[in-house]
Amino acid sequence: MPFASPNAWHYRPADDAGIVELASWRGAGSLGLRPHFHDENQIVLVLSGSRAFRIDGATVTVPAGHAALIPAGLLHAPMPTPDKETVCLNAYVPAGRTPSSLRVISIRALWRSVDEIWPKHILEIADDIQSRGRSRSARIADKTKLGVTLTESAGPIDAIAMNFGRSREGFSRMVRRELGVSPHAFRVLSRLNLARQLLRAGEPIAAVAVDAGFSDQSHLTRLFRRTFGTTPGVYWRG
């Protein structure tokens, strides 16, 4: 996977039905981004340098020669790292059987560049990590139900809270405890993930902004860059 320029994330579709898309990074250290989650499982392959993520109040570092699986729906914040150079490949694969927390395994520094990594390698790593993880607990299923409700309901937070038998304040506290962010922030992140899906499908950026519920294209662009490390335009061109 070629790098158009250093110090930027570059996304492209994957030529494999088992992988939704790929993203690569090469630059001094790695980029800090806002907390977010994905609808897919994210496989992080670190070839040099390191990646670090803030999850549930703790920092998890993924060193060179290691891979990590970030489960779909898990709120995480990529942290900046001071390495001289970091080379990383992210692969987004459909959510299937999934551990409930981030997991890291050694890949024994098998590759020197992302161009040496084929989809079959990524899927083998994903299967390896997932086979070591425990299945989702009932609490994870409850978190999923809560997230789906917030995403699919267009009603005000007060009405959703009432359906859960809680006050708005009590519901907000529950969402923060279970999902890590406020109900409004969760909805924004869900709309950003929808925007990624629409952009991958080739929909024009202005239309994506409207369809994903943003006030205008500039609003989408500002939040997209802060969250995913690239602009909708660059992402759309792939």
Side-chain angles (χ1 to χ4, degrees), residues 172-187:
S172 294
R173 286 194 297 269
M174 180 178 71
V175 171
R176 284 185 178 277
R177 183 178 65 250
E178 297 295 335
L179 302 179
V181 291
S182 69
H184 173 72
F186 186 89
R187 280 179 155 178

Side-chain angles (χ1 to χ4, degrees), residues 76-208:
H76 60 283
M79 308 292 289
T81 58
D83 301 286
K84 290 184 179 180
E85 182 180 61
T86 293
V87 177
C88 178
L89 177 68
N90 286 348
Y92 301 89
V93 301
R97 66 186 194 283
T98 309
S100 59
S101 61
L102 180 144
R103 293 183 179 270
V104 180
I105 66 169
S106 172
I107 53 176
R108 301 181 301 280
L110 294 175
W111 306 282
R112 295 181 180 179
S113 75
V114 296
D115 294 322
E116 299 175 6
I117 302 175
W118 292 83
K120 67 176 182 178
H121 299 139
I122 296 169
L123 295 176
E124 287 171 0
I125 291 170
D127 285 341
D128 186 7
I129 300 177
Q130 292 179 132
S131 67
R132 303 183 190 197
R134 292 169 294 182
S135 62
R136 289 176 178 260
S137 65
R139 184 182 176 206
I140 298 301
D142 289 341
K143 289 171 65 173
T144 300
K145 178 182 177 182
L146 182 59
V148 168
T149 300
L150 279 169
T151 302
E152 294 184 351
S153 174
I157 300 301
D158 304 70
I160 298 176
M162 186 178 299
N163 289 335
F164 276 80
R166 294 173 181 263
S167 66
R168 181 187 177 96
E169 292 75 16
F171 179 73
S172 294
R173 286 194 297 269
M174 180 178 71
V175 171
R176 284 185 178 277
R177 183 178 65 250
E178 297 295 335
L179 302 179
V181 291
S182 69
H184 173 72
F186 186 89
R187 280 179 155 178
V188 170
L189 291 172
S190 296
R191 294 202 300 268
L192 284 168
N193 282 322
L194 173 59
R196 283 179 69 154
Q197 294 177 24
L198 296 174
L199 289 168
R200 286 198 298 266
E203 187 169 328
I205 300 172
V208 169

